[in-house]
Amino acid sequence: MTKFSDWTIKDLFPYTELEEINPISLRAFSLVNRNKTRLDELTGATELLGALNILESLDYHFDCFLKNENSTNRIHDVMAYLNRVGQLYYFIKSAFTNKIVADAIQHTPKINELKIFRMKNTAHRSIDYPKGEPLNYRNSQALTFIGSQMYYHMNFQKFIMTSEINGKTIFNEFIPEIDHLQVMDESYSLICQIVKNIA
């Protein structure tokens, strides 16, 4: 199942220009479908189609976050979203991706920036499994998605996590309504480069 010819990849919008297809996750499936003849005998389907699945889930969790606007349960959509960002980060850092697009992480600065939430809270909490963080940062990171404090930017909910770089406190921010579009734009651009360069 490593060759693209082993898979059926659907284009749900065969008569629509790629740039007009939304959400971006469906645009990415259409992109691969429209290049399938060239890709068919190549390997890498497992890696690339797995990444498309991650993009699909990012759109899904973001939509759930928007629908749950008046619910305290929307925090669970945020955490699921950030876990998928972590998967996307490792796809970007993978040998597969970097063989096709050199230093791929340089093309995805927002994803690289958001991975801290996954590394210190959503995949595991640094308070439970510390990796050298001082106790005050561990406690702060553990409270990022619980408690009564709410932060906003332009009426959008903002999540803040503190971390330390070279002895300085860094305030990492995640604003789903703003950051999601950048995450998806970066991802789609990278997928385009992979589809173009894969050989």
Side-chain angles (χ1 to χ4, degrees), residues 109-124:
K110 179 54 71 175
I111 296 164
N112 192 36
E113 177 186 316
L114 292 178
K115 76 177 185 301
I116 188 78
F117 289 92
R118 192 262 187 189
M119 303 302 183
K120 302 295 182 186
N121 186 293
T122 64
H124 72 273

Side-chain angles (χ1 to χ4, degrees), residues 31-32 35 38-39 48 91-92 96-97 99-109 185-199:
L31 170 74
V32 174
N35 285 274
R38 184 179 65 80
L39 297 174
L48 187 56
F91 167 75
I92 294 164
F96 167 81
T97 300
K99 179 179 166 188
I100 301 166
V101 179
D103 205 12
I105 198 67
Q106 297 302 314
H107 301 280
T108 56
D185 282 343
E186 289 177 3
S187 301
Y188 182 73
S189 178
L190 181 61
I191 297 297
C192 286
Q193 291 181 65
I194 291 171
V195 168
K196 178 183 174 184
N197 295 343
I198 192 171

Side-chain angles (χ1 to χ4, degrees), residues 117-167:
F117 289 92
R118 192 262 187 189
M119 303 302 183
K120 302 295 182 186
N121 186 293
T122 64
H124 72 273
R125 301 183 313 159
S126 58
I127 198 167
D128 300 321
Y129 188 63
K131 294 186 177 178
E133 306 91 342
L135 181 58
N136 59 321
Y137 286 102
R138 285 183 260 156
N139 284 324
S140 174
Q141 291 163 358
L143 294 172
T144 299
F145 300 112
I146 60 175
S148 59
Q149 281 189 307
M150 299 283 273
Y151 303 97
Y152 290 90
H153 173 79
M154 297 170 47
N155 293 323
F156 296 137
Q157 192 172 359
K158 175 170 68 172
F159 301 92
I160 300 173
M161 173 180 282
T162 56
S163 60
E164 182 183 26
I165 298 178
N166 298 326

Side-chain angles (χ1 to χ4, degrees), residues 28-79:
F29 278 101
S30 293
L31 170 74
V32 174
N33 171 279
R34 294 176 193 188
N35 285 274
K36 195 166 182 304
T37 302
R38 184 179 65 80
L39 297 174
D40 265 350
E41 293 309 309
L42 301 178
T43 59
T46 309
E47 291 88 345
L48 187 56
L49 297 181
L52 298 188
N53 179 262
I54 293 169
L55 298 188
E56 188 176 49
S57 69
L58 288 171
D59 274 333
Y60 170 80
H61 290 303
F62 178 67
D63 286 346
C64 289
F65 173 81
L66 294 178
K67 288 174 188 170
N68 286 326
E69 182 178 2
N70 298 314
S71 170
T72 56
N73 288 329
R74 75 189 319 217
I75 198 68
H76 302 301
D77 298 311
V78 169
M79 296 181 79

